[in-house]
Amino acid sequence: MSIGELQEPFVSEEKATDTLPVFKHDAFRLPELTTDKHLYKSTRYELNIDQDSFVGWARSKHATPSITVALLMSKVIENVHPNEKEIICNLARDDRAGSSCQNTFRNCVGSIELAYSRHPDEIPFLDQVENYRNTIRQSKQKQQLRDSISRMTALSDQLDKRKGFLDKQKMLSFYDDLILDTFVLSYIGQFKLGAYESFIDDIHSYISGSKGLTIQMSAVNETLSLDFIQSFADKIYLESFIEELKQRNIGFFVKDPIEFETPYDALKQS
């Protein structure tokens, strides 16, 4: 094992900020979303995309796969719901580089807010790609990562001060109603499985209790898999995204929807 692989990421920081994580709520929110607590039922749509044709088109626009999906999905939402509010893609980011234990396998995920233009017709696609690249580049600077880790450390410190599970659960109850505007995108990356890769058609992900629309991306054996994980059943965004693929002659295959439930973790006072 690497040194620090088993180390907790939030116990070795020299100083944590007093500021807890803040989640903005001023961007466009999908009208299907609800603030009802403890949402159980979710739907997952598995979309497999031909990696060569997709990456080829993305490279022609100087875009990475994640930037391409972020822009196309934002474009879809803009077409379905024309509005004046910003459409935000919350792109998952690995913050380990901002921690003093960079080899930890613990969860150190932050988020990058990629804002889609309110008037996309006035900004060429290549310029939007460059705007996203600049935002990602700035968000990965050392100080930005340290600030994110510091806020996580502050949350961990506050949690440690609470006595008992119920008190800790109450403190974290804000997650029960947490909805990130407008959607979430996480690119796991390309799986490198050597000789075994030829036996695997695609790889898919599961997220428990996620509200709204989350897209999980992964790639294996020349297939890019997108999991549309939704707290609602309507497939209008999936179908509109498929139309974007068709317009660009990108091959794809979509599977039947999968419904799943996440039980709420409750502990009663005894």
Side-chain angles (χ1 to χ4, degrees):
M1 291 186 182
S2 302
I3 296 176
E5 187 172 329
L6 298 178
Q7 188 175 352
E8 291 287 353
F10 308 131
V11 297
S12 58
E13 308 306 319
E14 295 180 1
K15 185 180 182 301
T17 179
D18 294 328
T19 304
L20 295 177
V22 177
F23 302 97
K24 295 181 179 180
H25 297 285
D26 54 358
F28 179 70
R29 175 169 293 182
L30 299 180
E32 294 88 352
L33 302 192
T34 173
T35 57
D36 293 341
K37 287 187 176 182
H38 321 321
L39 192 67
Y40 298 107
K41 291 188 177 181
S42 299
T43 304
R44 185 174 81 230
Y45 295 99
E46 297 179 352
L47 173 64
N48 290 335
I49 301 174
D50 175 66
Q51 190 171 358
D52 286 343
S53 57
F54 181 86
V55 172
W57 186 85
R59 286 176 176 172
S60 72
K61 302 297 181 181
H62 307 291
T64 64
S66 56
I67 287 178
T68 303
V69 171
L71 281 171
L72 291 181
M73 194 66 227
S74 297
K75 181 176 183 291
V76 161
I77 295 173
E78 173 70 23
N79 291 338
V80 175
H81 302 292
N83 66 91
E84 287 299 317
K85 284 192 172 183
E86 279 187 326
I87 295 172
I88 299 293
C89 169
N90 294 276
L91 180 65
R93 174 190 64 195
D94 187 350
D95 287 349
R96 285 177 178 82
S99 170
S100 59
C101 50
Q102 297 183 19
N103 293 325
T104 179
F105 70 87
R106 301 295 189 184
N107 191 342
C108 296
V109 177
S111 181
I112 306 172
E113 293 186 353
L114 301 177
Y116 189 65
S117 169
R118 288 186 177 91
H119 306 286
D121 293 338
E122 300 175 6
I123 302 179
F125 194 89
L126 289 176
D127 291 342
Q128 294 186 68
V129 169
E130 188 59 30
N131 289 340
Y132 276 27
R133 282 188 178 278
N134 289 334
T135 301
I136 293 172
R137 193 179 300 117
Q138 293 172 9
S139 73
K140 289 187 176 181
Q141 293 178 358
K142 284 287 186 181
Q143 190 57 50
Q144 294 276 3
L145 298 175
R146 290 193 188 102
D147 290 344
S148 179
I149 288 290
S150 183
R151 288 190 292 271
M152 293 182 193
T153 305
L155 180 61
S156 180
D157 289 345
Q158 291 295 324
L159 198 61
D160 287 342
K161 295 177 182 178
R162 302 295 178 110
K163 296 181 179 179
F165 180 83
L166 286 174
D167 202 18
K168 296 176 187 292
Q169 187 183 51
K170 182 178 179 180
M171 176 185 169
L172 294 177
S173 62
F174 68 90
Y175 281 113
D176 293 338
D177 293 322
L178 179 62
I179 298 176
L180 294 177
D181 303 333
T182 307
F183 68 100
V184 176
L185 173 62
S186 176
Y187 183 29
I188 298 172
Q190 177 85 37
F191 286 91
K192 300 291 186 181
L193 304 175
Y196 301 102
E197 191 165 321
S198 62
F199 298 97
I200 300 174
D201 294 326
D202 43 60
I203 294 177
H204 299 276
S205 309
Y206 162 79
I207 300 176
S208 62
S210 177
K211 289 191 175 184
L213 171 61
T214 298
I215 301 176
Q216 289 274 89
M217 294 176 59
S218 62
V220 66
N221 194 16
E222 300 180 357
T223 297
L224 180 66
S225 294
L226 269 63
D227 293 326
F228 285 66
I229 302 171
Q230 308 176 172
S231 57
F232 51 92
D234 196 337
K235 56 182 179 180
I236 184 172
Y237 305 110
L238 170 70
E239 291 176 338
S240 298
F241 189 87
I242 287 174
E243 287 302 316
E244 296 293 330
L245 298 179
K246 289 179 179 178
Q247 292 178 18
R248 293 160 178 80
N249 296 317
I250 297 173
F252 68 90
F253 174 76
V254 62
K255 298 183 180 180
D256 293 333
I258 300 171
E259 291 188 354
F260 63 94
E261 296 184 7
T262 303
Y264 177 63
D265 183 13
L267 181 68
K268 295 181 179 179
Q269 184 73 50
S270 60

